[in-house]
Amino acid sequence: MLRPLRLVDRFNAIERELPADWTEAQLRLTADEARCDRAAALLGPANPGRRGKTLRLTVARRGGGVAPDGLRRLLRRLDAERIEGELELVAVHEAAPAELQRRENLRNQWERALAGLPADWSDVYAEVRFDSTDYVERAALLLAPVNPSRYGGPAALRFRCAHHFGYGVSPEMAARCLERCDEDGMTGEVEILRALSDTYPVATQGPVWLVGGRSV
């Protein structure tokens, strides 16, 4: 007899069928009554609503619910304990056209910020502020080549960029890493916090900034 589809695989299938501009999806999980208490406990970080053996969950790309990757992690816990159930899509909300026009993707924001610098810029200290803390763990992985640091706020990551040489990622690599975040549906703001021009490091990897008493 074939084993029922894992819950995380069922969610992945549901997610693939969602519209490209979805912002929030409401799901219903109907579990075995004897295991429903345990399922609710494992899904606790998603703050599920419960009625009998039915659990309601909200997954959102930003704010208002658990992020898709966060829900995947929780569903894997249920799968690991062999808790079976039926996961269904109840409703989906799409971004309003005006909201889509307002929200510029992260790569474009980065390239626009660089375009505003002097032509001889050499070093940059930048920050990405995500719209949800749920993005940060996944973003840190996608941004790994820029060596991001958790500094500046619970939903912020900072990194250094060097134009031609010295300490920091290249602007092209930073753009590609931010594009990976865009492809994953993450939103937020990119800002250049500090920039230097026409520097010539001698026997060093470049300038050092002191931020809050810490070298960056």
Side-chain angles (χ1 to χ4, degrees):
M1 187 174 80
L2 292 176
R3 190 183 169 202
L5 193 67
R6 294 190 313 157
L7 293 172
V8 70
D9 292 332
R10 175 58 183 149
F11 172 67
N12 289 337
I14 290 173
E15 188 181 27
R16 285 193 294 270
E17 297 299 319
L18 295 177
D21 57 349
W22 75 275
T23 58
E24 182 180 290
Q26 295 174 6
L27 306 171
R28 178 172 58 227
L29 173 63
T30 305
D32 180 78
E33 195 163 2
R35 306 295 307 278
C36 198
D37 286 344
R38 181 58 178 162
L42 293 173
L43 292 171
N47 194 28
R50 180 179 176 182
R51 185 173 183 180
K53 61 180 182 179
T54 299
L55 299 170
R56 285 185 174 267
L57 303 155
T58 297
V59 58
R61 279 178 160 170
R62 56 185 174 89
V66 65
D69 280 340
L71 182 59
R72 264 185 279 274
R73 287 192 294 272
L74 297 176
L75 291 174
R76 288 191 185 102
R77 296 179 185 177
L78 273 68
D79 289 331
E81 296 199 14
R82 296 184 178 273
I83 296 176
E84 298 175 356
E86 185 176 358
L87 187 65
E88 304 170 279
L89 177 67
V90 176
V92 61
H93 301 282
E94 301 176 53
E99 181 182 348
L100 292 175
Q101 291 173 9
R102 266 196 323 269
R103 181 60 63 178
E104 185 179 16
N105 68 42
L106 299 174
R107 175 169 183 154
N108 286 352
Q109 291 183 52
W110 170 247
E111 292 177 340
R112 180 166 50 80
L114 290 180
L117 295 177
D120 63 347
W121 75 270
S122 56
D123 301 272
V124 152
Y125 185 48
E127 179 177 86
V128 190
R129 293 185 297 274
F130 293 98
D131 288 332
S132 172
T133 55
D134 289 332
Y135 294 152
V136 174
E137 185 176 336
R138 173 68 175 164
L141 177 62
L142 297 177
L143 291 169
V146 311
N147 193 25
S149 61
R150 291 288 299 272
Y151 197 73
L157 294 172
R158 292 183 179 181
F159 64 92
R160 287 190 56 166
C161 177
H163 199 179
H164 299 298
F165 56 84
Y167 181 77
V169 68
S170 71
E172 294 80 13
M173 177 57 74
R176 176 56 188 138
C177 290
L178 290 168
E179 185 178 40
R180 293 169 69 189
C181 293
D182 291 327
E183 292 168 352
D184 217 55
M186 299 179 191
T187 56
E189 294 179 300
V190 179
E191 181 182 3
I192 292 177
L193 302 176
R194 303 188 181 196
L196 295 174
S197 295
D198 199 26
T199 60
Y200 294 93
V202 177
T204 72
Q205 288 294 312
V208 174
W209 285 290
L210 285 177
V211 179
R214 188 175 99 179
S215 299
V216 297

